[in-house]
Amino acid sequence: MTLVVFAVLLLGAVPIALVLALTAAWYIADSGNTLLFASYPQQLYGAMENYGLLAIPLFMLAGELMNEGGLTRRLIDLARILVGGFRGGLVYINLVANMMMAAIVGSAASQIAIMSRAMVPAMEADGYDKPYAAAITAAGGLLSPIIPPSMLFVLYGVMAQVPIADMFIAGIIPGLLMGGLFFLAIAAVGLVQQYPQGQWPSRAQARRFLLMGLPAMTIPLIIIGGILAGLATPTESAALASLAALLIGRFVYRDLTFAKLPEILRRTAFNAGLVIMLIAAAGVFGWVIVYEQLPQMAAAWIAGLTEDPFAFLMLVVGILLLVGMIVDGIAALILVVPILLPIAQTQFDITAYQFGVVVCLTLVLGLLTPPVGAGLFIGSSMTGVPPLKIFRALWPFLLMSLLALVLLAWQPWLTLALVG
C-alpha cells in the first residue's frame, strides 16, 4: 500500500519533497508502529546536519555572481582564442565555454539556462540552425555533473560517506572523456551540415580576450586547484569562489553592482532551499527504505540476474535511464543510492567512486529526455525553440553520453586513476 501511495503522489504532480515525506509518514501510520513518529523529526533534520551540504548554496551563489558579473561572457571570449577559427567555430566555442562553466556552476539546469542566453542568439546570428544551437548548448549541460565541482557529487559524497574532494577528483577524467566524445560528435555532424567558417580573433583581440578572461579563469582554478592541492575543502573552495566572483565582477569588470546582490541572494536562497528541503525529506524516506530491508531484497534479486560487475552497472544504467526520465536527478539519486550502493560494493566489489560517476551521469541524462526533460524545457524557455525540436537535434550527444557510460562501467581506472 505504501508503494501505491508513493506512485499516486508522484504521478499526481506533488512536489517530490512532499512525496518522500508523506510516503514515509504513511508507512509509519500504516505499520501501526506509531512510536516511529518520535524519530521522524530527528531523521528529517539529521539528514541536513552535514558540513559538506554547505557547498551547494555556495556553488549556486558563485554561478549567479559569475553570470551577473560578466565572467561568463569573458570565458566565452577566451574560448574564441582556442577554437574560434575552426569551421563551425561557434559550436566549438560553445562546448569549450560549457566545459569552463562546468568547472564553476556545478548544476546542469543552471548551466543550460546561463549558456542558452549567452550562446544561442550569437549562433543564430551567425547562420546556425536555432534548434541545433539550443541542442549543443543543452548538451553542454551534461558536463556539469561530471566535471568538478558537481552538486550531484556533493550529495552522493554525503550519502555514500566518501570524501567529496575525492569524488570531484574522480570526475576529472570522465569529464574530459565526455568533452572529447562531444568534440567527435560535433565533427561528425559537421560532415553532414556545412558549418559556417569560423574566424580567429586578431592579435589585438586575442590579447584583449586573454587579459579580460584571465580573471574569470581564477574561479575554476580556485575551486579545482584548492581541492587538488589539499588547501581547501569543497565547501571552503565554493566560499572562496563566490568571494572571488563578487570581487572580480564588481571591481575588475564592473558589470556587477551591489544593488543586484539582494536579488542574487534571494534566487540562491530559494533554489538552495528547494534542494535542502528535498534532502531532508529523503533522509526520512531512506530511513524507511532501510527499515523495510529493501536493499537486502534488491541484492538478492539482482544477484540472481548476474555476477558480472560490468553487467550489473549496465543493468543499473538501464534502470536509472527510466527513472531519470520521470524523477528529478537529485531526487532519483537520493532514492537509489541507499538501495544500490551497498549491492555494488558488497556483491560486485565496485568502488563507490566508479559507481557514483556512472549513476550521476546516467541520472542527468534524464534532464534532456522526455517525458519530463526539465533541461529541454529550460532550453526552450530561454530560446523559444520547442522542446521536441531540441531533443531531435540532441541525439548525437546523447549517443556519445551512452558510449561514455559504457566505457566508465567497463574500465574502472577511468574514475580511479587520479583518486589517491
Side-chain angles (χ1 to χ4, degrees), residues 134-380:
I136 181 63
T137 307
L142 295 175
L143 299 169
S144 192
I146 304 300
I147 295 177
S150 162
M151 281 196 290
L152 284 182
F153 279 179
V154 172
L155 290 177
Y156 177 83
V158 170
M159 298 178 67
Q161 297 184 344
V162 297
I164 296 172
D166 286 346
M167 272 307 305
F168 283 179
I169 294 170
I172 292 176
I173 293 178
L176 295 175
L177 172 66
M178 282 274 290
L181 291 174
F182 280 8
F183 273 114
L184 291 177
I186 291 171
V189 172
L191 294 176
V192 179
Q193 300 181 11
Q194 286 299 310
Y195 290 143
Q197 179 61 50
Q199 184 176 2
W200 293 109
S202 66
R203 183 171 297 180
Q205 286 177 321
R207 188 182 301 112
R208 186 174 73 254
F209 290 163
L210 181 61
L211 290 175
M212 294 300 288
L214 285 178
M217 280 302 297
T218 60
I219 307 298
L221 290 177
I222 288 171
I223 295 173
I224 300 174
I227 293 171
L228 289 177
L231 300 176
T233 67
T235 302
E236 291 165 350
S237 294
L240 291 172
S242 298
L243 177 60
L246 172 63
L247 296 176
I248 293 169
R250 178 64 186 91
F251 299 108
V252 178
Y253 298 144
R254 300 184 183 276
D255 288 356
L256 179 65
T257 62
F258 289 127
K260 295 179 180 178
L261 286 180
E263 177 58 23
I264 291 173
L265 294 173
R266 186 198 67 80
R267 287 199 304 265
T268 302
F270 180 80
N271 293 328
L274 293 177
V275 175
I276 299 301
M277 181 180 176
L278 182 57
I279 293 169
V284 180
F285 190 80
W287 170 53
V288 168
I289 287 175
V290 173
Y291 196 85
E292 276 287 273
Q293 296 186 323
L294 286 181
Q296 292 88 333
M297 290 187 285
W301 175 70
I302 292 175
L305 297 177
T306 181
E307 296 180 357
D308 180 57
F310 175 71
F312 166 74
L313 284 175
M314 287 294 92
L315 180 64
V316 169
V317 167
I319 293 171
L320 295 187
L321 283 174
L322 297 176
V323 171
M325 290 179 182
I326 302 170
V327 182
D328 174 76
I330 293 176
L333 183 73
I334 292 169
L335 288 174
V336 302
V337 168
I339 298 174
L340 295 179
L341 179 59
I343 301 171
Q345 291 178 306
T346 59
Q347 299 282 331
F348 299 95
D349 198 29
I350 297 170
T351 67
Y353 301 108
Q354 183 188 15
F355 184 78
V357 171
V358 170
V359 165
C360 289
L361 176 55
T362 304
L363 288 177
V364 84
L365 286 177
L367 195 69
L368 297 175
T369 50
V372 178
L376 295 176
F377 287 96
I378 292 171
S380 176

